[in-house]
């Protein structure tokens, strides 16, 4: 389980249900946010004294690859590719020692284990990662939408959108191992923004639709579907000039970034708005 309860029940053998007095703290829960600014906590107590150097980066790697142990040589190659074997091993030992010191202030349970030449997070920990929760919510939304349950799907997409506080490991843009996962999560976020903004437009929730379309264009100014939805929202709110201006912004972005004209659908929408038609 990825999101276990924060307490476990204990009771005498003769009882089948624990009394409130018998409730004790559970095995430590480690939570980590990797979408946007990185932060981690043990039992809701933030890890604040992060070590300098590569320790935190190594810890992030272990978080993301927590489903299986990571061989020591892999970590050495990922984080110290130019160092010799002896230097890389020493650097890794120093990094892990410092990260263990930071975590020991919050729990007596060893968080990072070394077994048979590989590192892993202690399987006794209850682990929650915003990345995995985001991916679960997106997948649930797509399943519900396929079952023709749009309202339930939107509820999942909204939870996913709230979780996406920024790109994956945005503070580690040059870590090659994180690039593919970052791009995949960005694509999933575009799916969430697209499905939510379309739903909000259909339900005439224009401010919400505008906000998400603007967020889409901040990340990719060439998304014509977002430009079109903004044009529709502005026009339906009586802001025809803003709708026409949005088309010009779309034309400029496509010309500058891709050197292509807008799609026929986008241009047709522009002409309809300019003539005063309902869109």
């Amino acid at each position: 389980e990825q999101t276990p309860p924060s307490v476990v029940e204990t009771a005498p053998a003769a009882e089948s249900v624990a009394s409130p007095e018998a409730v004790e703290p559970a095995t430590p829960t480690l939570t980590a946010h990797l979408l946007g600014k990185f932060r981690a906590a043990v039992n809701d107590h933030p890890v604040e004294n992060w070590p300098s150097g590569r320790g935190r980066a190594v810890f992030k790697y272990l978080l993301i690859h927590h489903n299986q142990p990571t061989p020591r040589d892999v970590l050495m190659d990922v984080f110290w590719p130019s160092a010799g074997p002896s230097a890389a091993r020493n650097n890794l030992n120093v990094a892990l020692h410092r990260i263990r010191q930071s975590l020991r202030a919050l729990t007596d349970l060893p968080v990072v284990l070394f077994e048979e030449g590989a590192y892993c997070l202690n399987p006794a920990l209850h682990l929650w990662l915003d990345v995995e929760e985001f991916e679960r919510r997106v997948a649930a939304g797509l399943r519900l939408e396929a079952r023709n349950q749009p309202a339930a799907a939107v509820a999942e997409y909204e939870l996913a959108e709230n979780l996406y506080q920024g790109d994956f490991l945005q503070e580690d843009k040059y870590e090659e191992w994180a690039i593919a996962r970052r791009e995949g999560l960005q694509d999933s976020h575009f799916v969430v923004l697209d499905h939510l903004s379309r739903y909000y437009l259909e339900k005439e929730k224009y401010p919400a639709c505008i906000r998400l379309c603007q967020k889409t264009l901040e990340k990719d100014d060439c998304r014509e579907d977002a430009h079109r939805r903004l044009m529709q929202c502005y026009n339906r709110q009586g802001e025809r000039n803003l709708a026409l201006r949005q088309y010009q912004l779309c034309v400029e972005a496509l010309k500058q970034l891709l050197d292509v004209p807008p799609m026929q659908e986008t241009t047709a929408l522009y002409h309809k708005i300019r003539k005063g038609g309902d869109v």
Side-chain angles (χ1 to χ4, degrees):
E1 287 288 330
Q2 294 298 319
T3 314
S6 59
V7 295
V8 294
E9 294 180 341
T10 58
E15 296 183 7
S16 59
V17 179
S19 62
E21 292 77 10
V23 175
E24 296 178 353
T27 301
T29 296
L30 173 62
T31 61
H33 295 260
L34 300 110
L35 295 170
K37 184 178 180 180
F38 174 72
R39 60 191 190 278
V42 177
N43 290 341
D44 295 327
H45 296 290
V47 182
E48 296 176 342
N49 297 317
W50 291 108
S52 58
R54 301 293 273 163
R56 181 159 52 168
V58 172
F59 184 58
K60 293 174 185 177
Y61 189 97
L62 293 175
L63 284 169
I64 293 301
H65 298 87
H66 70 88
N67 288 320
Q68 60 184 18
T70 302
R72 175 171 52 197
D73 290 347
V74 170
L75 291 175
M76 290 162 56
D77 289 342
V78 168
F79 292 100
W80 295 278
S82 301
S86 178
R89 179 175 296 189
N90 182 67
N91 289 338
L92 179 60
N93 289 339
V94 170
L96 267 298
H97 172 70
R98 289 176 176 172
I99 200 67
R100 283 168 170 149
Q101 282 184 317
S102 297
L103 295 167
R104 197 174 293 131
L106 299 175
T107 176
D108 293 331
L109 185 74
V111 174
V112 180
L113 304 180
F114 181 71
E115 298 175 349
E116 300 181 357
Y119 288 94
C120 66
L121 297 183
N122 193 325
L125 281 168
H126 297 319
L127 181 64
W128 182 92
L129 303 180
D130 62 344
V131 171
E132 294 180 345
E133 186 68 15
F134 170 80
E135 291 173 327
R136 279 194 291 272
R137 296 299 183 177
V138 175
L142 292 171
R143 285 196 302 271
L144 289 164
E145 205 163 7
R147 297 171 188 165
N148 197 28
Q149 297 176 263
V154 164
E156 295 292 340
Y157 292 141
E158 287 175 336
L159 290 169
E161 165 59 12
N162 288 334
L163 284 164
Y164 201 95
Q165 295 297 306
D167 288 335
F168 175 67
L169 295 183
Q170 65 180 22
E171 300 161 316
D172 304 274
K173 292 182 179 180
Y174 304 107
E175 295 283 4
E176 291 187 9
W177 66 268
I179 292 174
R181 188 71 178 273
R182 181 182 299 120
E183 291 176 349
L185 288 161
Q186 287 172 336
D187 289 342
S188 294
H189 188 221
F190 277 128
V191 168
V192 169
L193 293 173
D194 174 63
H195 287 231
L196 280 178
S197 62
R198 184 174 65 239
Y199 179 84
Y200 291 152
L201 180 63
E202 292 172 355
K203 297 300 180 181
E204 301 181 356
K205 297 182 177 181
Y206 301 129
C209 182
I210 288 170
R211 177 178 59 82
L212 294 187
C213 288
Q214 289 174 338
K215 181 178 287 191
T216 298
L217 295 176
E218 287 173 4
K219 293 183 172 294
D220 185 351
D221 207 16
C222 293
R223 296 248 170 183
E224 287 191 59
D225 52 354
H227 283 289
R228 287 194 298 271
R229 283 176 197 152
L230 281 173
M231 292 165 67
Q232 290 174 284
C233 286
Y234 290 142
N235 194 62
R236 292 181 187 182
Q237 292 185 138
E239 298 173 302
R240 181 168 167 268
N241 289 339
L242 285 180
L244 298 176
R245 174 58 180 157
Q246 192 64 44
Y247 174 76
Q248 296 301 329
L249 292 174
C250 177
V251 171
E252 293 168 8
L254 292 170
K255 176 64 178 176
Q256 180 179 354
L257 299 173
L258 301 177
D259 196 24
V260 297
M263 296 169 59
Q264 184 176 353
E265 181 182 357
T266 307
T267 302
L269 178 63
Y270 165 74
H271 287 302
K272 192 170 185 180
I273 292 173
R274 193 177 65 173
K275 294 176 182 178
D278 293 332
V279 295

